[in-house]
Structure formats: C-alpha cells, structure tokens
Amino acid sequence: MSENVSPEGTTRLVVGPFNRVEGDLEVRLEAAQGRVEAAFVSSPLFRGFERILEGRDPRDALVIAPRICGICSVSQSHAAALALAGVQGLVPTDNGRVATNLIVATENVADHLTHFHVFFMPDFARAFYADRPWFARAEDRFKAAQGRAVRKALETRATLLHVLGLLAGRWPHTLAIQPGGVTRGADARDKMRLQATLGAVRRALEDDLFGTKLERIAELASRDELDAWRANGPDGDFRLFLEIAADLELDRLGRAYDRYLSYGAYPGLDAPLYARGIFTGEGLGSVDVTAIAEDHTNARMEGRNRPHHPFDGSTRPDAEDETGYSWCKAPRLGGLPFETGAVARQIVDGQPLVHDIVRRGGGSVLARVVARLVETARTVIAMEGWVRALQPGEPWCAQGAMPEYGRAAGLTEAARGALGHWLRVENGRIAGYQIIAPTTWNFSPRDAAGVPGPLEAALVGAPIRQGETTPVAVQHIVRSFDPCMVCTVH
Amino acid sequence: MQGLETFYEVMRRQGITRRSFLKYCSLTAAALGLGPEFVPQIAHAMETKPRTPVLWLHGLECTCCSESFIRSAHPLAKDVVLSMISLDYDDTLMASAGHQAEAILHEVMEKYKGNYILAVEGNPPLNEDGMFCIVGGKPFLDQLRMVAKDAKAVISWGSCASHGCVQAARPNPTRATPVHEVITDKPIIKVPGCPPIAEVMTGVITYMLTFDRIPELDRQGRPKMFYSQRIHDKCYRRPHFDAGQFVEAFDDEGARKGYCLYKVGCKGPTTYNACSTVRWNEGTSFPIQAGHGCIGCSEDGFWDKGSWYARLSDLHGVGFGIESNADRVGLAAAGVVGGAVAVHAAVSALKRAQHKGDTGRNTSNANGSSHTGDAA
C-alpha cells in the first residue's frame, strides 16, 4: 500500500495485498478529483501448472489440475474430466452425469455462501460505515469471523459439504469425478441422507439468508419487485443487503463492459440447467470457442507477438520483461474482453431479474451479488431434483481407452464463471495443457490494443474519499467479482 | 505475555458457555487420543494459561488447507481456534485490509517476540529471486524469514509447506521449496496432506496451544498422534485385500461389492495418515470410501512417483492373459504388504523402546531430502 502525487494532480495508489479474496492480488490506481481514472490489476503469484502437466500420463490431470485451487478444485477436476472424456470420445453414464452435477453444484453453492458471508459483506461492518443507519445490524451479522450470520453460514456450508463427503469421499481435492462418470454410485440410503442434508441447507437458507421459500427468490422477475422486497419483503440478510445496496448506490458502482460469457452449467439429457452463450449489447449469441485467444502483451510471458488459441498456447515466464505487470494472460473472445460468473450465467440463461437489473443500470456490484444469491436458490432447488434422479444399481461410470493422439476442450462453469481446459495428447502423453479460469477473464490485464480487462474497466470512476488509502469502493468492486487469484494464473 | 487473555476468557467473550467449554475439552482429549483423565488438565490449562498468538502466513499455495480447516468437526473447536487465530493475523480471513493488516502483523511480532507460533500454508518459490510469489510488494520468502525469526515454533500446514507438493513437481517451474529447507533454526511441525484433515489440524494446534509444547514427532517431523499408522492399517476394505478381492475398474462388479482398490492404484499401503480412522467432512467419508484409491497425498514426493493411474493400464492394456497376470500381481502384493506389516510391527516395537524418555523432543529439519528440481 503506497501513495504518491504527480505534478499534474493525478494520485497513484497501490492497493493490496487484499485479504478476504482467494490468493494474492494487487491493484494500481491512478486517480484525480476523487475518482479512479485508470486501474492496473496484477496477479503476483505464479506456479506453472500447465508446464508441470506436460509430458505426463493424461489421466494424471485428474490429480494435478484440481490442485490449482483448494476452493474451485471440483470445477478444475470437472474440466479435466471433460477434456479427457473428449479425447476418449466418452459420454458419462446418466448416474455419472447427475452425480457430477451434484458434486459441482455443491462446491458452487458453498462458494456463493462463502463469498457473501465471509468475503463480501464484512466490508459493511467496518468502522468506516459507523454512521449509516444499517451499521449496527451489519456489524451484528457480518463482522469478520465474529458476526452471527458468518458463523451460521460456515456451519451451513459444512453441512452442505456432506454431499461431497457422501458422493466424492472428501473435499477439498476430491477424486471422484472421472471421464466416464463418478467412482461411487449412490444407494437408496445415500439418497435419503442426501435429501436430509439438502433439506437442512434449504432450511438454513430460508431461515437466515432469504427469510422465505427458495422458490420465491428464484422467481423474482424485475427490478421493481426487488425494490418492493427491500421496502417490505421478509426479514433476512438478503433484505439487509438490499437496504445497504440502495443506501450506498451499489447499482451504480463497478460497471464493466456488460458483455458476458457462459459455457453453460450442469449438463442435462437435452440441455444444461443454465444455458451456454454470450450476452452483449446486441443480445444473446452463441459461443465460438475457436475465437478464444490469450494475449501475452502485459503478462510477463514469452510470445507477445501474437494472440494464442489455447490449443496453441504456451506458458513460459519472461523474467526480462519490463512492460508486463501481471502473471495473468489476457483472454479475449473475438478480440474482446468478456465478464464471467453467476451474473453471466443467469443473464445468458434469461433469468428475468438479473436481465432487468443489467438492462436498466448495467452490470454493477448489485447485479453481481443479486445474481449469485438468485443462482444459489435456483441451484439448491435443482440439486433436490438431481438427488431424486439418481438410480441406485444403474451404471455410474463408463469405461474408455486413452488414444495415443487427440485433443479436446473441457468447458465447465465454476462458481466464479467460465472455466476451460484445452488438452493435447501426443504419443500417449500430455503435449499441451492450457487453462483459462474465470478470474483470468475477469481480472485480465490490458491486451495488445491497450483494452483493459473487465475489472480494470469496472474500477474506472470509483470514488476515493479524501485520505482514503484502501478505498472502500474499490474493495466492494473487486470483491463483487468473487476473484480466485490462485486459479487466475495457476 | 502480560495482558493476554486466557483461552477460557476468549471463549467466554465469544459467548461460549461453561458447559460447552467442558465439552470442548473432552472432545479435544478424545481427538488427541488422551484418556478422560486428561480433561481436567486441559480445562485447567485453558483457564489459566495466556493464549499463544498464532500468525498464519500464505505462500505459494491453493488455500486448500484453510478450506479444510474452517470446517472442522466440532463447530466449537473451529470457532475457538479460528477466532483465536483471526485475532492475530490471517490474510485470507481477517477483517482488516492492506497496510492495516501488515501493521497488525508487525505489532504481534514485536509484542510477543519469541512467544508466537508461525503457521505456514504454502511454500516459498526460490527462482527469479522469489518473484513468483509477491506479498505486499516483497517476495514471500522475505516475509517468511522475517516472521520466522522470532517465532517459538513453526507449523508447516499441508504438503506444500511440508514437502513441496504438486507445484514442486517436475520441472518445478518456480523452484517451490518446502519451509524446512529455508527455515533451519526453528522447531518445525509438519502436518502433511493435500489438504490435511481438519481434525488433524485443529488437534495439532490445540495441543500446542493447550500444553504449550510441541507434540511428539516422528523422524520426518510429523506428529505421531496422527501419522503413525498407514491408511491401509485401518482401512475398512482391508479384509478384501487380505482375501485377494480387488476392483479392476471403476464401476465393475468388484467396485459394486466394495473390494480393495489396490489394483486401481491405491497408495494406502504406503501412506501414513489418519484418513481411514478420522475420515473427512465431519467423519462422513474418505477417498477410498468413495471408490477411488488413496493417492498418497501426505507422503513426500507423491507427485513424481509415476502415474496414479498407471497400474490400471499395466493391468488392463495387455490383452489376453490379464486375469492370471492381474491375480499374480495381486497375490504377490498381498505377500509383500503382509510381510511389511510384520516388519512394521517389529520396527514400531523397537521405536517405542527407543523413544522411552525422549517424549516431546523437537525434531526439526529431520528430512533433509531435496526436491526443488531444475530451474525453468
């Protein structure tokens, strides 16, 4: 954290390290007249997983890739399994698909709960806001590590993770997801235990977070309904958030490009639960995966002369590079930065409330947080259906053979958004493995054309009060993306 | 240590009742493998001793250790330990941000010089002067050395801090290096696993905070109370191993009958950890119970010992004759491991004799092996 003022009156601020985000993050700000004019986002942690994977047995990706991240490990494992299934031409069994959905959804819902209670809301319990009418309630509920809602949410989360215990053996770093399905089927007794577990999670969410049935949250359809909820909806942390958001105008904070990408989440027999697609100013569109490329201009990586499609990508740090300011590459779709996450999934899926918020005020801090909460409700409802759909005794894992040559992309949705693994197999070994994680999209640095990444764009215009060295508005915007920095660079 | 609250005071302030406190003490005794007669001793210690500050640092890592830790079995244990830690410094969970957090770190180091415990999650990368892991504008390596200097002891959480883990796998692009190869003048308690089991983590830290002592360690520096048995020794599928009944592929007949996973790559016979006894996610299950073999994540070098799934192809990719071949392998393995059990028992008896009288001795840097790999 440092500060200096240039002769032109532009202040330079370095904010970081950030706590309550996953991993290390540093943001350089240029500010004038109490507003951010430019932001540069840096991921200061690099491990080189893509290099470590090269030359190994392709199946070992199932053990190594999840260890990129202890928070999104299931999503990483799912992407690896999908890439391997693609190379093997393997389709998971119905039970395998449904159980995988349950496993992935458990992690995503757990992450949404953690984000809201442990990472995002505690900022409103800081002394900075002591004069606000809602402060006492925010402090009681959300003070870091002490608030009543924080403790309760951690308990609910531990309960929810029993689903992973039952279906996947343990969490973090489960091993159960395989290219052909899962390593363990569920019997009738497991189904009962899963139902009981999800019932307990539902009750906790309905009692504390929403104050009402999950179905009512899932059905919210417009900004007006949301405003009515704030005024006289059921008591709960959701309503407290809406009150805080209105007071602080979080619907006017942190707007990026309003351009969204979702690979589609939770495969079904015909279509995924949440649709695949893009959403831009021109409305909905399909994802052209061949148009994805990573730009290394500011990434301190070799290969700055051209963008790299992930099948043709490389990860070679360039220690001599003086211009790069992050270890994060800049992924672009059709040459443009895209935002990803719950807000992207819900808007691409046509969820009317999220669509209305973005249409009327743009993709703000409010839009991101509301999308996550609406998605939490929708996903838990879907999970209850998947438990009913498990068929004891039916096959849970299809068998396949690894070819000597092949390539495939494994595309899934982590809690934080679109996650892709691009795998090339040659001579039976991994010849190339490139990963683009959700926060790689959201926290990307500038590309060759100087176009900022989504967070860099979202921070422009953020207010900085006199004397503020860790501007609280910047903290809200950064955390509204629920960044996962260890996934970002891997 | 003047002016520091006792554990009991911290718990009372957190709204925890006397009844819950005593329950916590008995749970702790059970978790540590101590008899009920130790409960009053633990209670007394917690009522009278000032709590030991813990500083929790994150290096090159994936945060799986923290994630495991925050959902330990007993909510009370988690609450208490977590609140004690976050009172001091933990950059993933604590309330304050940026330079305020750094200021707290320095304040605790200064005030409790020589008396605090340093808990490290992740490890320092040494290549390019440590620039692959920058915390607050400086290499993590510098922060680690600075905080370790006046620490009473160091806990290496997880396989990254203890051994290097997958980020140190060939070609180890950043030269990720375990803590004991960098900090060589402090007692180091290794708690390996990727991640370690939550109850093992809370057990180790509670023991140290309660008794103000380092738990008895094995030659590799791991607490004996949790790492003295192999997964295989207490595995509920062990009878199938002894009977020569094996899973040949995920979802085959053997898998449905819950047979032994040795032939699909299980490393249980060579892995020292508490998974098959303590289990995961509040005792719900563990990887073997979910039909996947143990990958040996708490063993040094588990990431570079050949494919985890290689056995699968070795046994299945050879066309005709696989049945006899597979059976032969299975029987031979049974013989070898059976023999190993006997040897292990004898060695344990010897060790018990050797260890009489040196309980509690600190073992730091007992494992001098290097696995930092080549520079990228």
Side-chain angles (χ1 to χ4, degrees):
Chain A
M1 160 74 270
S2 62
E3 182 178 7
N4 63 63
V5 183
S6 75
E8 304 86 52
T10 307
T11 314
R12 289 187 81 187
L13 264 181
V14 179
V15 187
F18 279 74
N19 61 312
R20 282 183 287 114
V21 303
E22 212 314 295
D24 295 312
L25 166 68
E26 201 171 89
V27 180
R28 199 172 85 229
L29 301 172
E30 288 174 5
Q33 279 96 46
R35 300 262 157 201
V36 172
E37 291 197 322
F40 300 81
V41 177
S42 166
S43 310
L45 180 143
F46 172 84
R47 291 162 298 167
F49 270 79
E50 291 154 331
R51 301 268 313 279
I52 288 165
L53 283 157
E54 287 167 13
R56 289 178 191 260
D57 183 325
R59 292 165 301 182
D60 283 356
L62 293 169
V63 175
I64 292 179
R67 288 181 160 71
I68 287 169
C69 179
I71 296 181
C72 323
S73 66
V74 163
S75 304
Q76 297 285 1
S77 138
H78 188 215
L82 288 169
L84 288 167
V87 170
Q88 297 181 36
L90 199 56
V91 179
T93 64
D94 282 350
N95 265 343
R97 173 179 54 77
V98 172
T100 301
N101 281 351
L102 274 166
I103 292 168
V104 174
T106 300
E107 184 176 82
N108 286 354
V109 169
D111 279 359
H112 284 354
L113 290 178
T114 311
H115 175 261
F116 185 76
H117 296 89
V118 181
F119 292 159
F120 182 73
M121 291 299 284
D123 276 331
F124 303 106
R126 287 160 61 167
F128 181 85
Y129 287 125
D131 62 340
R132 308 314 302 166
W134 40 260
F135 180 75
R137 279 171 292 148
E139 193 181 33
D140 174 51
R141 300 293 295 167
F142 291 106
K143 187 164 183 189
Q146 290 174 34
R148 288 192 293 141
V150 180
R151 285 157 170 255
K152 189 74 194 293
L154 285 175
E155 275 172 47
T156 305
R157 195 178 116 103
T159 304
L160 173 62
L161 288 166
H162 287 188
V163 173
L164 286 182
L166 270 170
L167 292 175
R170 71 161 181 178
W171 190 88
H173 297 334
T174 58
L175 297 155
I177 301 178
Q178 296 290 318
V182 292
T183 58
R184 181 183 189 277
D187 59 23
R189 198 180 56 154
D190 296 327
K191 285 183 67 168
M192 280 178 57
R193 287 177 69 187
L194 289 168
Q195 265 164 1
T197 301
L198 289 178
V201 171
R202 173 186 269 269
R203 271 193 305 283
L205 295 179
E206 292 180 345
D207 287 352
D208 295 311
L209 181 55
F210 296 122
T212 185
K213 290 297 221 187
L214 298 182
E215 283 74 7
R216 276 197 65 198
I217 299 293
E219 286 159 7
L220 281 171
S222 71
R223 182 68 203 266
D224 296 336
E225 273 186 56
L226 199 66
D227 291 339
W229 195 288
R230 184 185 78 241
N232 49 30
D235 267 339
D237 293 322
F238 180 50
R239 191 174 162 205
L240 174 61
F241 164 71
L242 293 177
E243 185 184 336
I244 294 171
D247 183 44
L248 301 177
E249 299 187 322
L250 298 184
D251 57 338
R252 300 159 68 91
L253 194 68
R255 186 172 181 176
Y257 296 109
D258 294 354
R259 205 185 289 129
Y260 299 103
L261 163 70
S262 167
Y263 291 147
Y266 312 116
L269 276 178
D270 308 311
L273 176 68
Y274 303 137
R276 173 185 289 204
I278 57 170
F279 181 90
T280 64
E282 290 153 22
L284 288 170
S286 57
V287 181
D288 178 6
V289 181
T290 61
I292 292 174
E294 290 191 295
D295 181 296
H296 295 189
T297 307
N298 286 296
R300 290 203 290 254
M301 293 284 167
E302 291 177 9
R304 283 187 288 278
N305 52 339
R306 63 184 173 88
H308 305 254
H309 185 274
F311 274 136
D312 183 30
S314 73
T315 307
R316 308 218 160 250
D318 182 353
E320 305 302 310
D321 181 10
E322 295 291 329
T323 55
Y325 59 86
S326 181
W327 292 115
C328 181
K329 302 173 191 171
R332 298 292 185 260
L333 171 59
L336 297 170
F338 272 74
E339 180 175 339
T340 185
V343 64
R345 276 193 294 272
Q346 293 305 315
I347 202 162
V348 166
D349 194 55
Q351 205 285 332
L353 170 64
V354 176
H355 185 271
D356 197 40
I357 293 175
V358 172
R359 186 180 62 82
R360 284 162 67 167
S364 54
V365 171
L366 175 82
R368 292 183 193 109
V369 175
V370 167
R372 229 172 254 120
L373 294 174
V374 167
E375 183 172 272
T376 300
R378 289 187 72 189
T379 308
V380 171
I381 295 167
M383 290 171 76
E384 292 168 338
W386 290 326
V387 170
R388 288 192 293 273
L390 287 169
Q391 299 285 333
E394 295 298 312
W396 64 74
C397 194
Q399 308 298 323
M402 184 59 64
E404 288 288 293
Y405 291 85
R407 63 183 210 178
L411 306 178
T412 184
E413 285 284 319
R416 294 155 179 90
L419 169 65
H421 287 197
W422 281 261
L423 165 68
R424 276 192 301 122
V425 177
E426 289 172 12
N427 296 315
R429 315 297 286 185
I430 296 174
Y433 205 109
Q434 288 288 314
I435 298 156
I436 305 181
T439 312
T440 321
W441 286 98
N442 290 338
F443 283 24
S444 118
R446 283 157 170 72
D447 57 27
V451 177
L455 173 65
E456 293 181 330
L459 286 169
V460 172
I464 299 178
R465 293 201 210 171
Q466 193 71 41
E468 251 194 323
T469 49
T470 51
V472 74
V474 169
Q475 310 258 335
H476 296 326
I477 295 170
V478 165
R479 294 205 180 89
S480 75
F481 284 90
D482 191 11
C484 182
M485 302 312 295
V486 293
C487 280
T488 306
V489 179
H490 38 266
Chain B
M1 304 282 277
Q2 245 187 355
L4 205 53
E5 296 169 296
T6 66
F7 289 104
Y8 186 55
E9 282 163 349
V10 175
M11 291 168 124
R12 292 292 295 163
R13 203 157 42 75
Q14 302 285 329
I16 290 161
T17 62
R18 176 84 190 164
R19 189 184 166 82
S20 296
F21 166 69
L22 291 174
K23 197 172 163 196
Y24 170 78
C25 294
S26 24
L27 277 166
T28 302
L32 299 174
L34 304 171
E37 67 274 19
F38 281 90
V39 175
Q41 196 182 326
I42 294 176
H44 181 72
M46 299 196 86
E47 280 170 328
T48 51
K49 283 193 181 180
R51 68 175 186 87
T52 311
V54 177
L55 297 170
W56 187 310
L57 300 185
H58 299 251
L60 207 62
E61 49 122 18
C62 79
T63 319
C64 71
C65 303
S66 290
E67 284 291 320
S68 179
F69 186 75
I70 61 174
R71 77 185 53 76
S72 60
H74 197 256
L76 191 59
K78 176 203 68 203
D79 273 3
V80 170
V81 180
L82 197 59
S83 59
M84 287 191 299
I85 287 168
S86 56
L87 280 174
D88 301 316
Y89 183 88
D90 172 83
D91 52 15
T92 304
L93 298 167
M94 71 190 298
S96 46
H99 72 299
Q100 290 168 318
E102 296 302 312
I104 292 171
L105 179 65
H106 284 277
E107 193 185 306
V108 173
M109 281 171 55
E110 187 60 32
K111 196 165 165 195
Y112 306 111
K113 199 171 175 175
N115 281 314
Y116 59 84
I117 291 169
L118 165 60
V120 187
E121 184 175 350
N123 59 30
L126 303 186
N127 272 355
E128 307 292 351
D129 300 321
M131 71 185 275
F132 292 113
C133 183
I134 300 290
V135 178
K138 282 181 290 215
F140 171 65
L141 180 62
D142 294 0
Q143 189 192 35
L144 176 64
R145 283 196 172 125
M146 175 189 78
V147 181
K149 188 169 160 281
D150 292 318
K152 183 161 62 176
V154 179
I155 302 177
S156 284
W157 284 143
S159 293
C160 287
S162 298
H163 300 141
C165 207
V166 292
Q167 60 196 15
R170 280 192 297 269
N172 193 353
T174 63
R175 214 175 138 212
T177 304
V179 171
H180 65 266
E181 290 182 19
V182 177
I183 305 300
T184 51
D185 57 348
K186 296 284 170 184
I188 294 181
I189 300 94
K190 292 183 196 162
V191 187
C194 184
I197 306 169
E199 287 71 24
V200 170
M201 299 176 77
T202 48
V204 168
I205 206 163
T206 307
Y207 181 92
M208 292 176 67
L209 298 180
T210 312
F211 296 110
D212 200 11
R213 188 166 65 202
I214 288 164
E216 192 185 349
L217 305 177
D218 68 10
R219 286 193 313 154
Q220 288 192 32
R222 305 175 293 195
K224 282 186 175 176
M225 60 182 89
F226 296 114
Y227 292 93
S228 59
Q229 282 183 323
R230 299 172 307 161
I231 304 283
H232 192 66
D233 298 338
K234 290 286 162 72
C235 182
Y236 77 106
R237 296 193 190 215
R238 178 62 185 269
H240 296 294
F241 177 88
D242 295 338
Q245 296 168 321
F246 295 102
V247 174
E248 307 277 347
F250 298 135
D251 203 15
D252 69 358
E253 199 50 35
R256 281 159 185 264
K257 287 179 172 160
Y259 285 176
C260 173
L261 295 160
Y262 183 74
K263 286 203 212 167
V264 288
C266 185
K267 304 284 185 288
T270 52
T271 302
Y272 287 82
N273 205 339
C275 302
S276 51
T277 47
V278 178
R279 306 202 182 187
W280 285 80
N281 297 95
E282 310 184 63
T284 310
S285 184
F286 69 116
I288 290 170
Q289 199 173 336
H292 193 288
C294 164
I295 58 165
C297 73
S298 57
E299 288 298 316
D300 195 0
F302 83 94
W303 51 89
D304 273 338
K305 289 181 175 167
S307 171
W308 287 276
Y309 299 96
R311 288 197 70 77
L312 209 60
S313 56
D314 290 345
L315 292 169
H316 288 266
V318 291
F320 288 110
I322 54 168
E323 286 310 317
S324 65
N325 188 18
D327 286 344
R328 215 165 46 235
V329 171
L331 285 173
V336 169
V337 179
V341 171
V343 171
H344 177 65
V347 171
S348 301
L350 272 174
K351 272 203 199 137
R352 267 198 302 280
Q354 282 171 356
H355 274 285
K356 263 187 184 163
D358 71 352
T359 312
R361 179 188 294 172
N362 305 339
T363 313
S364 71
N365 197 19
N367 171 17
S369 70
S370 169
H371 30 85
T372 46
D374 293 324

